[in-house]
């Protein structure tokens, strides 16, 4: 299994608790949010990121704060050796704050939509308020970005096949690069398949 970093834009709304932390479920409790500023959201994002970075080193099999951890971090992004670890956040920042609405950019692995919705709720609670997730938008999956996506008007056989071929090339290149880094969990790369894609 390959651990690709996924990037999301999570939109949240302060001031309400809902049954499942989504905008479509029943609102069950109202909270004040007038005391919350962007600096408060930034602080909570930083704390959450630091907590997950500590876990990341544990899952990578090193002791946080050790020389081994320092050497590992110098090499760049550290991924867990076991692809079945709980969700991990590599980066989170507030990119928009217009109370009661805000948007976070989250870089993570092993996430689920439930985890992302609950993360917005926990940010709200940590701000002495509450929040629910109003929108989840994935903007990157490993090397595949929004620029590689097809809009509905482009959904035809020719363009879908071309898009699959382009994305396969990107993924195979990423696998080839990751095989050089022992901290990445990588699959065996099929050289014949890679050469075939390079020539098409």
């Amino acid at each position: 299994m390959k651990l690709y970093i996924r990037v999301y834009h999570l939109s949240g709304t302060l001031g309400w608790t809902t049954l499942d932390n989504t905008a479509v479920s029943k609102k069950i409790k109202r909270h004040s949010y007038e005391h919350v500023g962007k600096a408060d959201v930034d602080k909570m994002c930083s704390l959450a990121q630091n907590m997950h970075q500590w876990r990341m080193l544990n899952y990578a099999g090193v002791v946080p704060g050790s020389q081994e951890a320092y050497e590992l971090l110098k090499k760049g992004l550290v991924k867990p050796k076991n692809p079945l670890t709980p969700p991990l956040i590599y980066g989170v920042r507030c990119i928009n704050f217009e109370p009661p609405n805000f948007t976070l950019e989250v870089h993570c692995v092993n996430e689920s939509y439930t985890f992302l919705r609950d993360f917005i709720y926990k940010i709200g609670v940590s701000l002495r308020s509450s929040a629910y997730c109003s929108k989840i938008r994935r903007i990157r999956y490993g090397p595949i970005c929004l620029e590689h996506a097809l809009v509905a008007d482009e959904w035809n056989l020719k363009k879908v096949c071309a898009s699959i071929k382009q994305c396969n090339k990107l993924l195979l290149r990423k696998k080839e690069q990751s095989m050089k880094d022992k901290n990445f969990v990588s699959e065996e790369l099929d050289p014949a398949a890679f050469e075939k894609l390079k020539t098409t």
Side-chain angles (χ1 to χ4, degrees):
M1 182 178 179
K2 185 74 176 77
L3 290 179
Y4 288 119
I5 299 293
R6 274 85 80 175
V7 183
Y8 293 87
H9 283 174
L10 307 180
S11 297
T13 301
L14 292 164
W16 283 99
T17 299
T18 65
L19 282 175
D20 62 0
N21 301 325
T22 66
V24 296
S25 64
K26 182 180 179 181
K27 294 179 179 178
I28 55 177
K29 193 172 183 181
R30 188 171 185 174
H31 303 265
S32 63
Y33 62 86
E34 291 77 10
H35 61 282
V36 179
K38 187 175 185 301
D40 301 311
V41 179
D42 289 337
K43 181 180 179 181
M44 291 303 111
C45 288
S46 179
L47 289 173
Q49 180 175 317
N50 290 340
M51 180 186 69
H52 278 265
Q53 286 178 345
W54 189 268
R55 291 179 183 173
M56 170 186 68
L57 290 171
N58 282 322
Y59 292 141
V62 299
V63 178
S66 66
Q67 182 64 28
E68 186 182 7
Y70 172 74
E71 295 296 332
L72 201 57
L73 289 170
K74 278 203 312 184
K75 296 177 182 178
L77 190 64
V78 180
K79 293 185 181 180
K81 292 180 178 179
N82 183 357
L84 301 178
T85 59
L88 283 174
I89 291 176
Y90 285 85
V92 55
R93 64 190 182 102
C94 181
I95 59 174
N96 184 55
F97 185 75
E98 297 177 0
N101 302 309
F102 63 98
T103 303
L104 304 182
E105 182 175 286
V106 178
H107 300 241
C108 52
V109 294
N110 293 344
E111 78 293 340
S112 65
Y113 288 119
T114 300
F115 168 79
L116 295 173
R117 294 196 307 261
D118 290 349
F119 180 71
I120 289 289
Y121 169 74
K122 289 175 182 177
I123 289 290
V125 171
S126 67
L127 293 167
R128 293 179 291 114
S129 180
S130 188
Y132 62 83
C133 185
S134 55
K135 184 169 68 172
I136 298 176
R137 184 184 188 215
R138 181 187 288 167
I139 63 168
R140 184 162 67 86
Y141 188 102
I144 300 172
C145 306
L146 286 179
E147 64 194 59
H148 304 115
L150 297 177
V151 297
D153 292 343
E154 298 175 320
W155 292 354
N156 57 64
L157 183 60
K158 182 178 179 181
K159 290 190 176 181
V160 168
C161 289
S163 178
I164 291 173
K165 185 178 291 186
Q166 181 188 27
C167 290
N168 279 338
K169 286 182 179 181
L170 291 170
L171 292 173
L172 286 171
R173 287 194 192 107
K174 186 71 174 177
K175 285 182 182 180
E176 188 179 56
Q177 292 170 1
S178 68
M179 289 177 70
K180 300 174 184 177
D181 189 341
K182 66 180 180 180
N183 300 320
F184 280 66
V185 178
S186 60
E187 300 171 327
E188 288 297 319
L189 182 64
D190 181 359
F194 185 69
E195 289 300 323
K196 183 178 179 181
L197 278 172
K198 285 199 297 185
T199 57
T200 55

